[in-house]
Amino acid sequence: MAPAAPLDGVRVLDVSTILAGPLCCQILGDFGADVIKIEHPKSGDNMRGHGRSKDGVSLWWKEISRNKRTVALDLKDERGGEAFRRLARTADVIVENFRPGTLERWGIGPEVLLAENPGLVIVRLTGFGQIGPYASRAGFGTLVEAMSGFAALTGEADGPPTLPAFGLADSISGIAASSAALMALRHRDRSGEGQIVDMSLLEPIMAAVGPGPTIYQQLGEVEQRHGNRSTNNAPRNTYQTSDGNWVAVSTSAQRIAERVLELVGHPEVITEPWFASGGGRAEHVDLLDDYVGSWIGRRTRDEVITAFTEAGAAIAPVYDARDLVADPHVREARMLVEVDDPDLGPLLQHNVMWRMSASPGSIRFTGRDIGADTDDVLTDVGLSADEITELKESGIIR
């Protein structure tokens, strides 16, 4: 028999939309939690229409909602709210991302839910958190990517602030929220006490951007954009090879920097006093970039990577999705895996995010149709067949 997953026996209600909350719940589901995805009967989660699709089937939905049973339930309706409360009494975790006050307005706020299930963990994911002057604002990843300092530091020095081409803030927050949920469950298991987790999109990406506020408070300095360069070390950049590909070089460690300059034929700079620190090398970035860039530019990507690898220097190719799919390490380490999908057949997805030797996660099934499990889930919490039929006829469930 396969070993038990670490979250076997944990029930999670996913009442979130788009990305951060659903990703949090995907992670919990990947490691064994019984995740029940709750969507509006008519509109469903907007994530179903997010990104590319094939034959009308959302490819992102298949991954972000894998390992989740789906229930179509109108939470605004009083009878829908009562059905939700029944589900919440059986749950360990609820993840929601409505604007602050929305669940309270519907009569299913944390006070109500915790009174009926004192051990419940409620993760509230919003753009700016539950308190403060921006709490009621619409919050999307793009907005916090701008406010966090990320955009201000991203892009060329003489160019505009640059936003990521993917859901960076949402993804960071979703991963952080899964960790927060587990911390709250640990507390619950020791004390019997549930709690509310206030998780914003803004704070995790602020932490990822780094100590800019501390630097400003202590030194009065505001960090600026430097393109792909770093103020902490050099050479650190992307460089084009002779066959038109790109590679990234990092020299955060002193010995790596020495190996790179030895490899590209300029060992003389290693003995310069300024070369002994990352900051000193960064002050001579034009010189070092010229040495490294000109050497790389005369060789193909394969030649460059082979030479750097043999020299023990740090380098990586700049990949797109096609390169990732073909990469032997990605394949052998099973970072991408094929899973069976009833609509699309063999479907390539990201694997679970980490490997655990004693209690591994798994992809048990891909994202399902809206309301695919409504009858089974509501029957499990005590609704009769007649009640379910009545709710369906009223459009409260699907």
Side-chain angles (χ1 to χ4, degrees), residues 225-275:
R225 291 187 294 283
H226 299 281
N228 291 320
R229 290 175 168 178
S230 170
T231 58
N232 299 317
N233 63 80
R236 188 266 197 182
N237 212 328
T238 57
Y239 306 92
Q240 192 169 29
T241 60
S242 64
D243 54 356
N245 291 300
W246 291 85
V247 294
V249 173
S250 176
T251 57
S252 297
Q254 179 68 22
R255 184 62 187 122
I256 298 295
E258 294 170 2
R259 290 171 184 168
V260 169
L261 270 297
E262 289 170 354
L263 174 64
V264 302
H266 290 279
E268 73 280 0
V269 299
I270 296 173
T271 59
E272 294 286 347
W274 53 262
F275 196 87

Side-chain angles (χ1 to χ4, degrees), residues 352-364:
V352 298
M353 283 195 185
W354 51 85
R355 315 291 177 263
M356 299 179 69
S357 61
S359 54
S362 64
I363 303 171
R364 301 180 297 282

Side-chain angles (χ1 to χ4, degrees), residues 2 16 32 58 65 101 110 148 159 168 208 216 220 224 236 316 318 350 381 384:
S16 60
S58 168
S65 287
S148 64
L168 178 63
Y216 174 71
Q224 303 298 314
R236 188 266 197 182
V318 175
H350 298 100
V381 295
S384 68

Side-chain angles (χ1 to χ4, degrees), residues 108-131:
I108 50 174
E111 287 189 6
V112 172
L113 301 179
L114 285 166
E116 298 177 351
N117 182 356
L120 186 63
V121 171
I122 304 174
V123 180
R124 312 198 80 175
L125 264 162
T126 56
F128 304 103
Q130 298 291 315
I131 60 173

Side-chain angles (χ1 to χ4, degrees), residues 359-371:
S359 54
S362 64
I363 303 171
R364 301 180 297 282
F365 53 87
T366 56
R368 297 154 81 89
D369 292 338
I370 186 169

